[in-house]
Amino acid sequence: MKKQTIATTTNYQKPDAYGALSMPVYHCCAFEFDTAKHMTDSFTGRVPDPEYVRVMNPTVTFFENRVKALTDAANVFAFNSGMAAITNVLLCFVKAGKNIVTSNHLFGNTVSLMRNTLGPLGIETREVNLLDLDAVRAAVDDDTACVFLEIITNPQMEVADLSALAEIAHAKGVPLIADTTLIPFTEFDAKALGIDAQVVSSTKYISAGATSLGGLIIDYGTFPVINRKTRFELLFNMGYYMTPHAAYMQTTGLESLDARYKVQSSTALELAKRLQGVPQIKRVNYTGLPDNPFYDISRRQFGNTAGAMLTIDLEDKQAAISFINRLKVIHRASNLFDNKSLALHPASTIFAAFSGSQRRAMDVYDTTIRLSIGLEHVDDLYDDIIQALQ
């Protein structure tokens, strides 16, 4: 079956007593076992039955199974946020004395997690230019835990060569872990590109309009420690498993993902093309534009779509702030891939905790505005941008 069909046809783990077409929401904390042995088998993973909702819930398991069917992954784990998913997958590999090879072109809180949370625990973050493969080779050594990146960086819109990075990582026996939030996992083959584990903020495209918070680890089984540590240690000890209601909302969101993404990505491309001709806009950054430096590699890795996020640069910070204040259709909000289009000023919001020199080193500029494209008509979005520039 095609992915569009798979998204609506995953079988339940057990038949529903009433034949419900949507997986029921199991809002409970505990489950009855037939015998003491059944309880032991559940807690030790010998049977796939829920032992306690901090670790497993039928509604969440169904959501995980649907993602697993769509990605052909070995394992899928759902968490209560994208940051929880990133934290979990890193904790599968890092320990004091180990290092993470990555870039400083990452979402602000991902940078903060590595520098400010993991750093004091003795875990080094080595930030290199991931476009410079020689620099990556020099950074990866016997103490490297993993190579981590975003497939399209937020907000720099940089695209690295995933297969080349995977080759470098695998030569040292370490995984390539990729945050793939900006392109839906239904649009490309992460495993074929050498990615060992994807992390996704399912709050974005999957939740169908910012209905719920969530995160995913999509594990392709090349490093069994991800399944072992997550299933039998981290879910028990850390307590950041997805809630059943969020799983219900996001399972429903998966059913319309294909239709929504087609609209959002095509609108983003058309809008980016139109904005290139607007004199007040100094730069339009979108990897779907043929003159973008990452156009070819983006198409080779992710297909014919380039996501629903783009950035524009205006003359200075005051022009950017004034522009945002004058928007009438596009909303001022700090999320991505809602059904509504959103705008924010990254330097003063999601990167506000960093100094000016730190932001410049990360290529986060005061002139940049990030646009997340929703389901509105492209004409209305364009008209709103034009009136806000005047």
Side-chain angles (χ1 to χ4, degrees):
M1 292 187 292
K2 305 297 184 185
K3 290 185 178 180
Q4 184 179 354
T5 308
I6 293 172
T8 65
T9 56
T10 311
N11 291 327
Y12 297 162
Q13 302 92 284
K14 295 182 178 181
D16 179 68
Y18 297 96
L21 286 178
S22 294
M23 164 60 78
V25 180
Y26 284 82
H27 266 306
C28 56
C29 293
F31 303 89
E32 179 108 36
F33 297 95
D34 296 333
T35 63
K37 183 180 183 303
H38 183 204
M39 183 180 292
T40 300
D41 288 344
S42 176
F43 270 83
T44 55
R46 288 194 287 266
V47 296
D49 292 335
E51 58 266 58
Y52 189 63
V53 293
R54 193 173 74 252
V55 180
M56 186 179 288
N57 174 282
T59 311
V60 183
T61 298
F62 179 70
F63 174 55
E64 294 169 332
N65 288 345
R66 181 163 282 183
V67 175
K68 184 176 177 180
L70 285 165
T71 58
D72 197 28
N75 308 284
V76 173
F77 300 98
F79 300 93
N80 55 29
S81 71
M83 287 306 304
I86 292 172
T87 303
N88 185 98
V89 77
L90 291 178
L91 288 176
C92 289
F93 295 97
V94 298
K95 61 181 179 181
K98 290 288 187 178
N99 64 74
I100 301 166
V101 173
T102 186
S103 165
N104 66 355
H105 289 177
L106 295 172
F107 172 60
N109 284 113
T110 307
V111 175
S112 180
L113 167 68
M114 294 181 182
R115 292 180 184 177
N116 303 327
T117 305
L118 298 181
L121 301 178
I123 299 156
E124 179 189 0
T125 299
R126 295 182 176 174
E127 297 172 359
V128 299
N129 178 5
L130 297 184
L131 304 180
D132 183 346
L133 297 180
D134 288 335
V136 178
R137 288 189 189 93
V140 176
D141 61 20
D142 292 340
D143 291 322
T144 298
C146 63
V147 177
F148 182 95
L149 80 161
E150 295 172 3
I151 58 168
I152 300 180
T153 65
N154 173 13
Q156 303 88 353
M157 307 291 283
E158 175 185 283
V159 181
D161 187 330
L162 294 169
S163 296
L165 292 174
E167 184 178 352
I168 294 170
H170 295 163
K172 281 290 188 179
V174 300
L176 179 67
I177 301 170
D179 184 333
T180 66
T181 298
L182 266 67
I183 301 284
F185 49 71
T186 51
E187 296 296 312
F188 67 103
D189 190 339
K191 185 178 181 180
L193 291 169
I195 295 173
D196 298 292
Q198 293 175 262
V199 289
V200 179
S201 173
S202 55
T203 312
K204 310 303 190 290
Y205 291 115
I206 298 170
S207 74
T211 62
S212 48
L213 196 66
L216 292 165
I217 293 175
I218 303 172
D219 166 31
Y220 291 99
T222 46
F223 286 82
V225 66
I226 296 175
N227 179 51
R228 184 174 65 252
K229 284 204 72 169
T230 301
R231 195 177 302 277
F232 298 108
E233 178 184 331
L234 295 174
L235 283 175
F236 281 97
N237 296 351
M238 304 299 288
Y240 39 39
Y241 192 51
M242 180 177 277
T243 65
H245 189 71
Y248 174 82
M249 300 295 288
Q250 298 195 7
T251 301
T252 305
L254 276 175
E255 296 180 357
S256 62
L257 173 61
D258 184 72
R260 287 182 289 104
Y261 181 69
K262 285 176 179 175
V263 172
Q264 290 174 283
S265 59
S266 62
T267 299
L269 176 59
E270 175 61 22
L271 187 63
K273 289 178 179 177
R274 294 189 192 184
L275 295 179
Q276 283 188 304
V278 177
Q280 297 99 316
I281 296 176
K282 306 307 177 185
R283 182 192 184 204
V284 179
N285 193 4
Y286 182 64
T287 62
L289 294 171
D291 62 352
N292 187 281
F294 300 108
Y295 175 78
D296 290 334
I297 192 170
S298 180
R299 285 178 67 88
R300 186 170 76 244
Q301 295 185 150
F302 313 128
N304 296 328
T305 61
M309 185 187 92
L310 60 100
T311 67
I312 59 174
D313 280 84
L314 301 185
E315 184 175 357
D316 53 34
K317 180 178 180 179
Q318 184 55 51
I321 297 301
S322 298
F323 167 82
I324 289 175
N325 287 338
R326 288 193 293 265
L327 290 169
K328 297 178 180 178
V329 175
I330 300 172
H331 299 263
R332 292 170 285 274
S334 62
N335 192 21
L336 286 171
F337 317 132
D338 195 319
N339 292 342
K340 305 171 184 66
S341 291
L342 313 174
L344 63 71
H345 183 248
S348 61
T349 55
I350 56 177
F351 289 90
F354 298 89
S355 69
S357 60
Q358 287 175 320
R359 289 196 298 271
R360 287 189 292 274
M362 299 162 75
D363 295 317
V364 176
Y365 302 113
D366 288 340
T367 57
T368 302
I369 298 158
R370 191 186 76 181
L371 298 173
S372 169
I373 306 307
L375 298 177
E376 303 93 342
H377 195 281
V378 65
D379 290 348
D380 297 318
L381 297 176
Y382 178 77
D383 290 345
D384 191 34
I385 290 171
I386 295 303
Q387 68 80 24
L389 288 169
Q390 294 172 350

